[in-house]
Amino acid sequence: DADVTQTPRNRITKTGKRIMLECSQTKGHDRMYWYRQDPGLGLRLIYYSFDVKDINKGEISDGYSVSRQAQAKFSLSLESAIPNQTALYFCATSAAGTESTEAFFGQGTRLTVV
Amino acid sequence: AQKITQTQPGMFVQEKEAVTLDCTYDTSDQSYGLFWYKQPSSGEMIFLIYQGSYDEQNATEGRYSLNFQKARKSANLVISASQLGDSAMYFCAMRRPRGGYNKLIFGAGTRLAVHP
């Protein structure tokens, strides 16, 4: 089993619908992140959390919300999906550490909003 | 502002040849880390190599090496003896520990095609 698991892997939804992307990890890491990948823009940070009580906005948080249900679970919600939220979404984790700490990524969720 | 720049949207290389993927970064921090990730067509992100800002030696991992030029703020990835399986997107990223928030910021990526 993957250390960082995202569900669903693929999703097509309609404009205006609420959708939740889920992430769970077995690495025991405190830090969890949600990124969005768009062609030509790389990965951009949406939200990050350093423990269950700590949630922080990233550079592109508008239109998104998150929930850290437990150390191992971090969910991303789109309250009212719009077509420009069509993208590949990644969850990542890392240990508390220094600048050398590697991030581990889930397999990604390909979301299409029609 | 912290920023990673990858100026090559696409590159191609002949199998068995070496290729360099460019990465420049902008930061005022003294302590930071630089990473390269590979993203094959299947979509997952695979960690390749890491270079710390205080490391005096260039990092190497098998066929991957990082040409770190701190004064120029560049961290180019060198892939030696390219293989067909190296065809993928490659992302340069920087981690800054300032304030305890080890956020990882990414460049736009370079798509590498290895030709037989």
Side-chain angles (χ1 to χ4, degrees):
Chain A
D1 289 340
D3 293 323
V4 184
T5 302
Q6 292 182 232
T7 56
R9 294 290 311 279
N10 291 281
R11 181 73 180 267
I12 300 173
T13 192
K14 293 183 178 180
T15 298
K17 292 291 188 182
R18 183 180 188 277
I19 182 169
M20 178 181 289
L21 309 184
E22 299 186 341
C23 177
S24 63
Q25 53 115 345
T26 59
K27 299 196 71 69
H29 291 163
D30 291 330
R31 285 150 168 74
M32 297 189 74
Y33 310 82
W34 275 105
Y35 287 91
R36 166 180 172 159
Q37 182 181 355
D38 297 280
L41 296 177
L43 278 73
R44 293 179 292 166
L45 186 61
I46 306 173
Y47 271 95
Y48 57 103
S49 168
F50 286 174
D51 62 40
V52 174
K53 298 179 181 179
D54 178 81
I55 301 288
N56 304 277
K57 292 182 178 180
E59 60 179 307
I60 54 163
S61 59
D62 287 348
Y64 302 95
S65 62
V66 292
S67 173
R68 185 82 182 263
Q69 302 94 324
Q71 187 204 36
K73 295 184 183 297
F74 192 37
S75 300
L76 176 72
S77 293
L78 288 67
E79 296 301 324
S80 179
I82 56 177
N84 75 2
Q85 291 177 314
T86 293
L88 181 59
Y89 291 84
F90 283 103
C91 174
T93 75
S94 70
T98 66
E99 65 276 8
S100 65
T101 306
E102 178 189 344
F104 295 84
F105 286 82
Q107 296 285 79
T109 295
R110 191 167 297 279
L111 176 67
T112 303
V113 183
V114 298
Chain B
Q2 319 298 319
K3 187 177 180 182
I4 296 283
T5 301
Q6 295 181 253
T7 58
Q8 306 153 315
M11 291 278 288
F12 70 89
V13 64
Q14 291 295 125
E15 194 177 9
K16 300 181 183 178
E17 293 185 349
V19 62
T20 297
L21 306 184
D22 294 342
C23 173
T24 58
Y25 59 92
D26 184 19
T27 181
S28 57
D29 293 334
Q30 296 301 309
S31 177
Y32 50 88
L34 297 158
F35 299 78
W36 277 91
Y37 283 84
K38 173 184 178 181
Q39 185 182 45
S41 58
S42 52
E44 71 268 30
M45 296 289 285
I46 302 169
F47 166 73
L48 294 178
I49 195 167
Y50 162 80
Q51 178 84 42
S53 59
Y54 291 118
D55 294 341
E56 295 185 353
Q57 300 291 328
N58 285 342
T60 60
E61 289 286 348
R63 294 187 299 111
Y64 304 108
S65 61
L66 200 152
N67 183 0
F68 181 48
Q69 298 186 46
K70 192 171 182 177
R72 294 186 176 184
K73 294 187 176 179
S74 74
N76 299 338
L77 177 70
V78 180
I79 305 175
S80 63
S82 297
Q83 301 172 357
L84 296 178
D86 294 333
S87 294
M89 279 290 287
Y90 289 82
F91 291 99
C92 180
M94 176 171 64
R95 182 183 292 284
R96 303 159 48 237
R98 176 184 287 184
Y101 290 110
N102 287 339
K103 291 186 291 184
L104 198 59
I105 59 173
F106 286 82
T110 295
R111 183 172 298 280
L112 177 66
V114 180
H115 295 172

